[in-house]
Amino acid sequence: LGVRLFFPAWESGLLTSESRTLTLHEGDSAVEAIMSALMEGPQTESLSPLLPEGFQMLTVRVESGTCYLNLPRSDVSLEAQQLLVRGLVNSLCSANGVDRVQLLLDGQVAASFGQVDISGPLYRE
């Protein structure tokens, strides 16, 4: 599975894509494999991890072109939310069949994730 994962470049702080080939294990979906790879962090030395240590994902699934990513509400205080959300959306939208991402907090649509509006689906930039 060829995907583009997005990580912040440590010098500029801007999101930079890293092309990666992921192996799908039986029962894994493409979006689960992408989230696992994001949790492992970048393979390029000049890039920083997108997800903070201790980041948790409750569930991730795709339905009719929308990827639903369910996060624990407790993680709302994370720093660099805008970069985090953009990196998640851009990375997940690199999977076939994913056009947009809807972030959920504890299974519910929420108005915002920190300062980022997540009340509706988010599209890749």
Side-chain angles (χ1 to χ4, degrees):
L1 172 70
V3 297
R4 294 173 69 89
L5 302 177
F6 289 80
F7 297 100
W10 64 269
E11 278 187 4
S12 65
L14 301 174
L15 283 178
T16 305
S17 70
E18 180 178 89
S19 294
R20 192 137 2 133
T21 302
L22 304 178
T23 304
L24 282 183
H25 301 289
E26 194 173 330
D28 276 359
S29 68
V31 289
E32 287 170 325
I34 289 170
M35 287 304 298
S36 292
L38 286 173
M39 287 183 198
E40 288 167 16
Q43 293 175 340
T44 308
E45 278 186 30
S46 62
L47 300 178
S48 305
L50 176 70
L51 306 177
E53 203 170 305
F55 180 86
Q56 292 182 323
M57 168 188 78
L58 300 175
T59 57
V60 62
R61 65 180 166 48
V62 178
E63 216 171 88
S64 306
T66 302
C67 176
Y68 293 90
L69 177 59
N70 187 11
L71 304 173
R73 192 173 288 278
S74 60
D75 283 355
V76 171
S77 62
L78 295 172
E79 307 244 340
Q81 290 132 346
Q82 187 74 40
L83 206 59
L84 175 74
V85 170
R86 280 197 6 245
L88 285 169
V89 170
N90 289 352
S91 297
L92 289 165
C93 284
S94 74
N96 284 341
V98 176
D99 303 318
R100 58 202 161 273
V101 174
Q102 176 67 63
L103 290 178
L104 305 172
L105 298 180
D106 290 336
Q108 304 293 313
V109 172
S112 63
F113 182 81
Q115 300 173 350
V116 183
D117 179 356
I118 61 168
S119 59
L122 303 167
Y123 295 83
R124 182 160 82 187
E125 292 186 346

